[in-house]
């Protein structure tokens, strides 16, 4: 028990340091846009850390078939926000992951493992290599997300034509 408490304390300190680093990064490297809304209802795209891909998708006519296109940088807060958005939509069915996973945080790996294996009793995503994969969403939201959304894995794909073809096959 002492060992578990010690590990959780170490993780809490590490999390606080990462939170502080995140605030510093936002000031030093501001990211002006995180998502763009489309006119569709069932398909969303997550370009992970690929900002150029986010801009390409957002300026293409495919936005008429997309609910939203956005980015995902973190394996905890980012996934929490993603779950909340997706479960608020009663029409969304598909989430396409494309682009580059964020080195060091690995949110795509965390999301894929969340979908496949779920959470442990401490709300930690099972099986991921992400360093701090703890979800704060209520378990019922996580379960709803896992049941409602089909994840389409196009990680490391930067080809807009292939992404568009995937969207067209889903709609």
């Amino acid at each position: 028990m002492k060992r578990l408490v010690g590990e959780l304390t170490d993780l809490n300190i590490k999390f606080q340091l990462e939170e502080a680093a995140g605030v510093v990064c936002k000031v030093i490297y501001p990211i002006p846009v995180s998502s763009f809304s489309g006119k569709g209802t069932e398909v969303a795209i997550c370009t992970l850390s690929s900002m150029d891909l986010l801009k390409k998708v957002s300026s293409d006519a495919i936005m008429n078939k997309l609910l939203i296109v956005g980015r995902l940088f973190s394996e905890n807060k980012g996934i929490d926000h993603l779950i909340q958005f997706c479960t608020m939509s009663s029409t969304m069915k598909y989430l396409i992951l494309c682009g580059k996973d964020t080195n060091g945080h690995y949110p795509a790996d965390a999301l894929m493992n969340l979908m496949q294996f779920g959470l442990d009793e401490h709300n930690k995503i099972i099986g991921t290599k992400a360093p701090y994969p703890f979800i704060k969403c209520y378990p019922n939201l996580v379960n709803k997300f896992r049941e409602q959304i089909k994840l389409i894995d196009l990680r490391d794909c930067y080809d807009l034509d292939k992404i568009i073809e995937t969207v067209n096959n889903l709609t």
Side-chain angles (χ1 to χ4, degrees):
M1 182 66 168
K2 286 182 182 179
R3 182 174 166 212
L4 178 60
V5 170
E7 287 176 12
L8 290 175
T9 301
D10 290 345
L11 284 173
N12 187 34
I13 292 168
K14 182 179 178 186
F15 177 72
Q16 289 176 358
L17 289 172
E18 288 176 356
E19 288 291 302
V23 170
V24 171
C25 285
K26 284 181 182 178
V27 172
I28 296 173
Y29 304 109
I31 298 169
V33 177
S34 61
S35 65
F36 297 89
S37 296
K39 295 180 181 176
T41 59
E42 294 184 347
V43 181
I45 293 178
C46 177
T47 64
L48 298 167
S49 67
S50 300
M51 295 302 292
D52 289 340
L53 185 57
L54 174 65
K55 291 174 186 173
K56 275 198 240 179
V57 173
S58 69
S59 62
D60 192 272
I62 198 62
M63 290 301 294
N64 290 320
K65 293 186 177 184
L66 296 178
L67 176 64
I68 194 168
V69 59
R71 60 181 176 77
L72 179 63
F73 287 119
S74 73
E75 75 278 23
N76 39 52
K77 282 185 180 181
I79 291 177
D80 275 328
H81 290 297
L82 182 71
I83 290 169
Q84 290 170 1
F85 177 85
C86 293
T87 55
M88 284 176 41
S89 169
S90 61
T91 60
M92 188 175 157
K93 295 180 183 177
Y94 305 102
L95 176 62
I96 300 171
L97 286 184
C98 56
K100 183 178 181 353
D101 205 359
T102 306
N103 288 335
H105 287 279
Y106 307 105
D109 179 78
L111 191 56
M112 295 297 293
N113 280 283
L114 175 66
M115 294 301 275
Q116 185 172 3
F117 303 115
L119 300 172
D120 70 11
E121 64 276 2
H122 303 290
N123 284 353
K124 181 180 179 188
I125 298 171
I126 299 169
T128 183
K129 64 182 177 182
Y132 195 79
F134 292 90
I135 301 301
K136 291 185 179 179
C137 285
Y138 291 111
N140 63 326
L141 278 182
V142 175
N143 291 335
K144 181 179 178 185
F145 174 76
R146 291 177 69 208
E147 292 168 6
Q148 175 183 332
I149 304 301
K150 178 169 173 49
L151 208 54
I152 311 298
D153 186 6
L154 293 181
R155 287 177 288 176
D156 295 320
C157 176
Y158 307 91
D159 182 350
L160 186 58
D161 291 332
K162 182 173 181 169
I163 294 166
I164 291 169
E165 178 184 340
T166 302
V167 171
N168 287 331
N169 287 337
L170 295 172
T171 55

